[in-house]
Amino acid sequence: DFFGWHCYSNTPERLMREPAEARKLLDSYGFTETELFLTEWRYIPDMADTKCDEFDRRMAGIESGAVNTAVLTSWQDSPLDMGFFYTTTILYNSIFNRRSEIQPGLYYPFLYFAQMLDFRQRVSSECAEGYYCLAGHDNNGSGAALISVLNQNNSTINLELAGVADSTIKIYTADGTENTAVTTNGKLTLTQTEPYAVYLLKELILK
């Protein structure tokens, strides 16, 4: 058996806590083995004082993309069994627009999250408030990290990468751009130009 429900919210925090609240409710009625399927979920920016074109841009842009990967990251430590994003079909605010073109702000963050499946051995991470990190390695000496930034106005992000050797790594941003950077003594600094951002770090060489 499974329990399914929908959640649309203008706050990432509500999406993040939904699985735990559903688990608590079901357990209280004795359904302790029932799986949790969040069969529709979506971040919807606050529409107050927002024009339609601006709302559409936020729905399909990096703000939503960063929230999505942050929510998915938080769910790795939740009782949720399956989550179904709404939607990947051809709509104005979907991963693909009505001309079947990708909308980068949504598409690339989901792609990066999927690529973390190549690094299934998860490692612990700690982040300041407003930052979310999912990190892992492939058991063959290579690691990756997915970093989501929610509404932060810092110009740089300083990372401490314990156990990572000095090397040139690849950094992918939410618009699909690929850059390289050098880790030095396990440290790396990212440049942050927008309050919402997603970074995928790959080819981290483990000591």
Side-chain angles (χ1 to χ4, degrees):
D1 292 337
F2 69 89
F3 174 76
W5 79 106
H6 298 175
C7 182
Y8 293 84
S9 176
N10 63 359
T11 64
E13 292 78 14
R14 181 185 171 193
L15 289 165
M16 293 175 183
R17 66 175 181 261
E18 279 282 302
E21 293 181 352
R23 179 79 275 154
K24 182 178 179 180
L25 175 64
L26 289 176
D27 288 354
S28 71
Y29 285 95
F31 296 99
T32 57
E33 300 300 320
T34 301
E35 294 185 340
L36 300 180
F37 288 11
L38 184 45
T39 50
E40 284 186 23
W41 68 274
R42 182 71 187 255
Y43 168 69
I44 301 179
D46 193 338
M47 295 179 64
D49 300 319
T50 301
K51 296 181 180 179
C52 288
D53 57 348
E54 173 66 9
F55 176 73
D56 291 347
R57 185 189 67 79
R58 293 174 65 191
M59 280 283 285
I62 183 53
E63 176 181 347
S64 291
V67 170
N68 293 339
T69 51
V71 169
L72 290 169
T73 295
S74 75
W75 282 347
Q76 303 312 299
D77 298 305
S78 83
L80 188 67
D81 293 290
M82 295 189 72
F84 301 77
F85 176 78
Y86 186 87
T87 178
T88 61
T89 55
I90 301 172
L91 290 173
Y92 69 95
N93 59 7
S94 177
I95 292 177
F96 300 93
N97 64 22
R98 291 174 176 172
R99 295 184 296 276
S100 298
E101 300 164 335
I102 65 169
Q103 306 212 79
L106 287 179
Y107 174 83
Y108 285 107
F110 272 121
L111 176 65
Y112 298 159
F113 182 83
Q115 290 179 0
M116 289 300 297
L117 290 172
D118 294 330
F119 306 90
R120 292 176 178 267
Q121 187 61 48
R122 190 176 176 190
V123 299
S124 63
S125 59
E126 296 181 2
C127 299
E129 184 176 355
Y131 296 84
Y132 299 83
C133 181
L134 182 64
H137 64 82
D138 62 1
N139 285 319
N140 289 308
S142 181
L146 179 66
I147 299 170
S148 307
V149 183
L150 301 188
N151 201 24
Q152 302 298 311
N153 292 308
N154 299 312
S155 60
T156 58
I157 303 172
N158 297 313
L159 304 177
E160 294 186 7
L161 307 170
V164 173
D166 293 352
S167 63
T168 299
I169 68 169
K170 291 184 178 179
I171 302 174
Y172 300 86
T173 54
D175 61 358
T177 300
E178 176 186 324
N179 295 297
T180 59
V182 177
T183 59
T184 304
N185 297 322
K187 299 182 184 297
L188 178 68
T189 298
L190 301 177
T191 300
Q192 181 182 329
T193 59
E194 300 291 339
Y196 291 87
V198 177
Y199 303 91
L200 176 65
L201 281 57
K202 296 183 73 175
E203 299 187 9
L204 301 174
I205 306 302
L206 308 183
K207 295 180 180 178

